[in-house]
Amino acid sequence: MLKNREGEKVPSITFKTRQNDKWVDITTDELFAGKTVIVFALPGAFTPTCSSTHVPGYNELAKVFRENGVDEIVCVSVNDTFVMNEWKKTQAAENITFLPDGNGDFSAQMGMLVDKDDLGFGKRSWRYSMLVKDGVIEKMFIEPEVAGDPFEVSDAETMLRYINPNAAKPQMVSLFTKVGCPFCARAKAALKEHNIDFEEIVLGPEITNRSLRAVAGATTVPQVFVDGKLIGGSDALDAYFRSLGG
Protein backbone atom coordinates (compact mmCIF):
# COMPACT_ATOMS: atom_id res chain seq x y z
CA MET A 1 0.00 0.00 0.00
CA LEU A 2 1.35 3.43 -0.94
CA LYS A 3 2.12 5.53 2.12
CA ASN A 4 0.97 9.09 2.62
CA ARG A 5 4.08 10.95 3.80
CA GLU A 6 2.52 14.18 5.03
CA GLY A 7 4.66 15.73 7.76
CA GLU A 8 7.85 14.06 6.53
CA LYS A 9 10.83 15.63 4.78
CA VAL A 10 11.32 14.94 1.11
CA PRO A 11 14.14 12.48 0.28
CA SER A 12 17.66 13.83 -0.14
CA ILE A 13 18.35 13.23 -3.83
CA THR A 14 20.50 14.71 -6.58
CA PHE A 15 18.80 15.03 -9.97
CA LYS A 16 21.04 14.77 -13.03
CA THR A 17 19.85 17.39 -15.52
CA ARG A 18 21.10 18.68 -18.84
CA GLN A 19 21.00 22.46 -19.33
CA ASN A 20 22.57 24.38 -22.21
CA ASP A 21 24.53 21.28 -23.27
CA LYS A 22 26.06 20.90 -19.80
CA TRP A 23 25.39 18.49 -16.96
CA VAL A 24 23.88 20.28 -13.97
CA ASP A 25 23.18 18.62 -10.62
CA ILE A 26 20.10 19.81 -8.75
CA THR A 27 19.70 18.68 -5.15
CA THR A 28 16.47 18.51 -3.23
CA ASP A 29 17.99 20.93 -0.71
CA GLU A 30 18.42 23.51 -3.48
CA LEU A 31 14.97 22.80 -4.80
CA PHE A 32 12.93 22.94 -1.60
CA ALA A 33 14.82 24.89 1.08
CA GLY A 34 12.93 28.01 2.14
CA LYS A 35 10.37 27.64 -0.65
CA THR A 36 6.81 26.48 -1.23
CA VAL A 37 6.84 23.96 -4.06
CA ILE A 38 4.22 21.87 -5.82
CA VAL A 39 5.47 18.51 -7.04
CA PHE A 40 3.45 16.29 -9.33
CA ALA A 41 4.75 12.90 -10.39
CA LEU A 42 3.55 10.72 -13.22
CA PRO A 43 4.32 7.45 -15.05
CA GLY A 44 6.11 8.78 -18.09
CA ALA A 45 6.92 11.56 -20.52
CA PHE A 46 4.85 11.72 -23.72
CA THR A 47 2.21 9.35 -22.32
CA PRO A 48 -1.43 10.28 -23.07
CA THR A 49 -2.90 11.46 -19.74
CA CYS A 50 0.36 13.09 -18.70
CA SER A 51 0.61 15.08 -21.94
CA SER A 52 -3.04 15.91 -22.53
CA THR A 53 -4.14 16.81 -19.01
CA HIS A 54 -1.69 16.53 -16.13
CA VAL A 55 1.09 18.83 -17.38
CA PRO A 56 -1.19 21.34 -19.20
CA GLY A 57 -3.34 21.74 -16.10
CA TYR A 58 -0.44 22.84 -13.91
CA ASN A 59 1.08 24.98 -16.63
CA GLU A 60 -2.18 26.88 -17.18
CA LEU A 61 -2.73 27.53 -13.48
CA ALA A 62 0.90 28.44 -12.72
CA LYS A 63 0.19 32.17 -12.44
CA VAL A 64 -2.65 31.55 -9.98
CA PHE A 65 -0.46 29.26 -7.90
CA ARG A 66 2.21 31.96 -7.71
CA GLU A 67 -0.38 34.51 -6.62
CA ASN A 68 -1.22 32.10 -3.82
CA GLY A 69 2.28 31.65 -2.46
CA VAL A 70 3.76 28.86 -4.60
CA ASP A 71 7.36 29.51 -5.65
CA GLU A 72 7.85 26.64 -8.08
CA ILE A 73 5.99 23.81 -9.81
CA VAL A 74 7.95 20.62 -10.43
CA CYS A 75 7.13 17.63 -12.62
CA VAL A 76 8.96 14.39 -11.77
CA SER A 77 9.07 11.27 -13.93
CA VAL A 78 11.29 8.21 -14.19
CA ASN A 79 12.82 9.31 -17.48
CA ASP A 80 16.26 10.62 -18.43
CA THR A 81 16.96 14.34 -18.75
CA PHE A 82 17.05 14.31 -22.57
CA VAL A 83 13.54 12.87 -22.74
CA MET A 84 12.25 15.31 -20.12
CA ASN A 85 13.80 18.30 -21.91
CA GLU A 86 12.22 17.33 -25.23
CA TRP A 87 8.88 16.70 -23.56
CA LYS A 88 8.93 20.15 -21.97
CA LYS A 89 9.53 21.69 -25.41
CA THR A 90 6.61 19.86 -27.02
CA GLN A 91 4.36 20.80 -24.10
CA ALA A 92 5.43 24.48 -24.20
CA ALA A 93 5.36 24.19 -20.41
CA GLU A 94 7.55 27.16 -19.58
CA ASN A 95 5.98 27.50 -16.12
CA ILE A 96 7.07 24.05 -14.92
CA THR A 97 10.44 22.63 -13.87
CA PHE A 98 10.87 19.14 -15.34
CA LEU A 99 13.08 16.88 -13.23
CA PRO A 100 14.39 13.53 -14.49
CA ASP A 101 14.29 10.77 -11.90
CA GLY A 102 16.21 8.56 -14.30
CA ASN A 103 17.19 5.84 -11.84
CA GLY A 104 13.95 6.07 -9.88
CA ASP A 105 15.82 7.07 -6.71
CA PHE A 106 13.44 9.86 -5.69
CA SER A 107 10.35 7.81 -6.48
CA ALA A 108 11.73 4.79 -4.58
CA GLN A 109 12.51 6.82 -1.46
CA MET A 110 9.08 8.40 -1.65
CA GLY A 111 7.65 4.87 -1.68
CA MET A 112 6.03 5.60 -5.05
CA LEU A 113 8.11 3.42 -7.39
CA VAL A 114 5.85 0.77 -8.90
CA ASP A 115 6.02 -1.97 -11.52
CA LYS A 116 4.60 -1.12 -14.94
CA ASP A 117 5.90 -4.33 -16.49
CA ASP A 118 2.54 -5.07 -18.08
CA LEU A 119 3.04 -2.01 -20.30
CA GLY A 120 6.73 -2.64 -20.92
CA PHE A 121 7.63 0.42 -18.83
CA GLY A 122 9.53 -1.36 -16.06
CA LYS A 123 9.76 0.64 -12.83
CA ARG A 124 7.88 3.95 -12.91
CA SER A 125 6.42 6.49 -10.49
CA TRP A 126 2.85 6.19 -9.30
CA ARG A 127 0.81 9.28 -10.10
CA TYR A 128 0.55 11.74 -7.20
CA SER A 129 0.99 15.38 -6.25
CA MET A 130 2.20 17.10 -3.11
CA LEU A 131 2.67 20.53 -1.56
CA VAL A 132 6.12 20.92 0.01
CA LYS A 133 7.04 23.78 2.32
CA ASP A 134 10.70 24.24 3.24
CA GLY A 135 11.37 20.60 2.42
CA VAL A 136 8.48 19.20 4.49
CA ILE A 137 5.48 17.57 2.80
CA GLU A 138 2.36 19.39 3.93
CA LYS A 139 -0.19 17.66 1.69
CA MET A 140 -0.24 14.66 -0.65
CA PHE A 141 -2.82 13.61 -3.20
CA ILE A 142 -2.15 9.99 -4.15
CA GLU A 143 -4.13 8.36 -6.93
CA PRO A 144 -6.17 5.32 -5.82
CA GLU A 145 -4.42 1.98 -6.12
CA VAL A 146 -6.54 0.45 -8.82
CA ALA A 147 -5.76 -1.13 -12.18
CA GLY A 148 -4.66 1.11 -15.03
CA ASP A 149 -3.60 4.72 -14.63
CA PRO A 150 -6.13 6.52 -12.43
CA PHE A 151 -6.19 10.32 -12.61
CA GLU A 152 -8.66 11.62 -10.05
CA VAL A 153 -6.92 13.66 -7.33
CA SER A 154 -3.42 14.70 -8.42
CA ASP A 155 -4.63 17.30 -10.94
CA ALA A 156 -3.92 21.03 -10.72
CA GLU A 157 -7.47 22.06 -9.81
CA THR A 158 -7.56 19.72 -6.81
CA MET A 159 -4.28 21.21 -5.58
CA LEU A 160 -5.57 24.74 -6.09
CA ARG A 161 -8.74 23.99 -4.14
CA TYR A 162 -6.56 22.80 -1.25
CA ILE A 163 -4.32 25.88 -1.32
CA ASN A 164 -7.15 28.38 -1.83
CA PRO A 165 -10.67 27.20 -2.65
CA ASN A 166 -11.64 30.79 -3.48
CA ALA A 167 -8.80 31.43 -5.93
CA ALA A 168 -9.90 32.97 -9.21
CA LYS A 169 -8.94 30.83 -12.18
CA PRO A 170 -7.41 32.48 -15.24
CA GLN A 171 -9.60 33.19 -18.22
CA MET A 172 -9.10 30.90 -21.21
CA VAL A 173 -8.48 33.25 -24.13
CA SER A 174 -7.83 32.42 -27.78
CA LEU A 175 -7.87 34.57 -30.87
CA PHE A 176 -7.77 33.98 -34.59
CA THR A 177 -5.24 36.19 -36.39
CA LYS A 178 -3.43 36.66 -39.71
CA VAL A 179 0.19 37.59 -40.26
CA GLY A 180 0.57 41.34 -40.78
CA CYS A 181 -2.90 42.23 -39.52
CA PRO A 182 -2.75 45.58 -37.63
CA PHE A 183 -6.07 44.96 -35.86
CA CYS A 184 -4.73 41.62 -34.63
CA ALA A 185 -1.65 43.37 -33.27
CA ARG A 186 -3.92 45.84 -31.51
CA ALA A 187 -5.98 43.04 -29.91
CA LYS A 188 -2.86 41.21 -28.73
CA ALA A 189 -1.46 44.41 -27.25
CA ALA A 190 -4.71 45.00 -25.35
CA LEU A 191 -4.62 41.47 -23.92
CA LYS A 192 -1.00 41.90 -22.83
CA GLU A 193 -1.80 45.29 -21.31
CA HIS A 194 -4.42 43.59 -19.15
CA ASN A 195 -1.94 40.83 -18.26
CA ILE A 196 -4.08 38.14 -19.89
CA ASP A 197 -2.42 35.06 -21.35
CA PHE A 198 -3.79 33.92 -24.68
CA GLU A 199 -3.34 31.37 -27.41
CA GLU A 200 -2.99 32.69 -30.93
CA ILE A 201 -4.44 30.72 -33.86
CA VAL A 202 -2.80 32.03 -37.02
CA LEU A 203 -4.75 31.50 -40.23
CA GLY A 204 -2.75 30.01 -43.07
CA PRO A 205 -2.45 26.85 -45.17
CA GLU A 206 -3.37 24.52 -42.32
CA ILE A 207 -5.99 26.66 -40.57
CA THR A 208 -8.07 28.53 -43.13
CA ASN A 209 -10.97 30.99 -43.24
CA ARG A 210 -13.25 27.97 -43.37
CA SER A 211 -12.36 27.14 -39.77
CA LEU A 212 -12.85 30.76 -38.81
CA ARG A 213 -16.33 30.81 -40.34
CA ALA A 214 -17.24 27.49 -38.73
CA VAL A 215 -16.13 28.54 -35.25
CA ALA A 216 -16.80 32.29 -35.15
CA GLY A 217 -19.28 32.80 -37.98
CA ALA A 218 -17.01 35.54 -39.26
CA THR A 219 -14.55 36.17 -42.07
CA THR A 220 -12.46 38.98 -40.57
CA VAL A 221 -9.69 38.85 -37.97
CA PRO A 222 -9.04 39.10 -35.16
CA GLN A 223 -11.78 37.07 -33.54
CA VAL A 224 -11.33 36.81 -29.77
CA PHE A 225 -12.85 34.13 -27.53
CA VAL A 226 -12.95 34.33 -23.72
CA ASP A 227 -13.92 31.18 -21.82
CA GLY A 228 -15.66 29.84 -24.90
CA LYS A 229 -17.61 33.03 -25.58
CA LEU A 230 -17.05 34.97 -28.80
CA ILE A 231 -16.09 38.57 -28.02
CA GLY A 232 -15.33 39.64 -31.60
CA GLY A 233 -12.71 41.90 -33.14
CA SER A 234 -10.39 44.51 -31.67
CA ASP A 235 -13.15 47.12 -31.19
CA ALA A 236 -15.34 44.55 -29.47
CA LEU A 237 -12.44 43.57 -27.24
CA ASP A 238 -11.92 47.19 -26.21
CA ALA A 239 -15.62 47.43 -25.38
CA TYR A 240 -15.37 44.20 -23.39
CA PHE A 241 -12.57 45.63 -21.25
CA ARG A 242 -14.50 48.87 -20.75
CA SER A 243 -17.48 46.87 -19.52
CA LEU A 244 -15.22 45.30 -16.91
CA GLY A 245 -14.03 48.72 -15.83
CA GLY A 246 -10.58 48.23 -17.33
Side-chain angles (χ1 to χ4, degrees), residues 37-186:
V37 181
I38 292 173
V39 178
F40 66 101
L42 37 79
F46 294 101
T47 52
T49 301
C50 306
S51 295
S52 65
T53 310
H54 213 171
V55 168
Y58 279 99
N59 194 52
E60 289 173 2
L61 290 180
K63 184 184 293 186
V64 183
F65 281 123
R66 291 195 192 98
E67 291 170 353
N68 284 274
V70 174
D71 298 301
E72 192 166 0
I73 302 172
V74 175
C75 173
V76 175
S77 181
V78 183
N79 292 107
D80 65 70
T81 185
F82 295 99
V83 169
M84 293 294 277
N85 287 348
E86 287 304 309
W87 191 33
K88 178 172 182 172
K89 289 179 186 176
T90 64
Q91 289 285 292
E94 68 281 354
N95 300 313
I96 298 174
T97 299
F98 282 60
L99 285 182
D101 187 23
N103 295 326
D105 295 334
F106 184 81
S107 299
Q109 292 194 38
M110 281 294 300
M112 294 292 163
L113 195 65
V114 297
D115 285 317
K116 291 283 184 178
D117 294 344
D118 58 327
L119 298 176
F121 283 14
K123 298 286 188 180
R124 295 296 179 109
S125 174
W126 191 249
R127 195 184 296 276
Y128 67 95
S129 65
M130 60 183 178
L131 183 66
V132 182
K133 293 188 176 180
D134 194 22
V136 177
I137 302 168
E138 176 180 298
K139 182 66 177 178
M140 285 190 76
F141 295 100
I142 305 169
E143 294 297 340
E145 294 179 66
V146 296
D149 181 22
F151 181 51
E152 301 175 12
V153 297
S154 61
D155 59 287
E157 293 201 5
T158 297
M159 180 62 75
L160 183 59
R161 283 195 296 271
Y162 170 75
I163 294 173
N164 180 4
N166 298 315
K169 297 178 187 176
Q171 294 174 307
M172 294 293 104
V173 179
S174 295
L175 71 159
F176 285 88
T177 67
K178 284 183 179 178
V179 175
C181 165
F183 300 103
C184 301
R186 176 179 150 194

Side-chain angles (χ1 to χ4, degrees), residues 186-217:
R186 176 179 150 194
K188 290 188 288 184
L191 290 168
K192 291 176 182 177
E193 181 183 342
H194 287 82
N195 198 29
I196 296 176
D197 295 328
F198 60 87
E199 183 171 84
E200 183 178 4
I201 305 166
V202 182
L203 297 182
E206 296 183 358
I207 304 173
T208 68
N209 279 351
R210 182 175 181 178
S211 293
L212 179 63
R213 291 197 302 271
V215 173

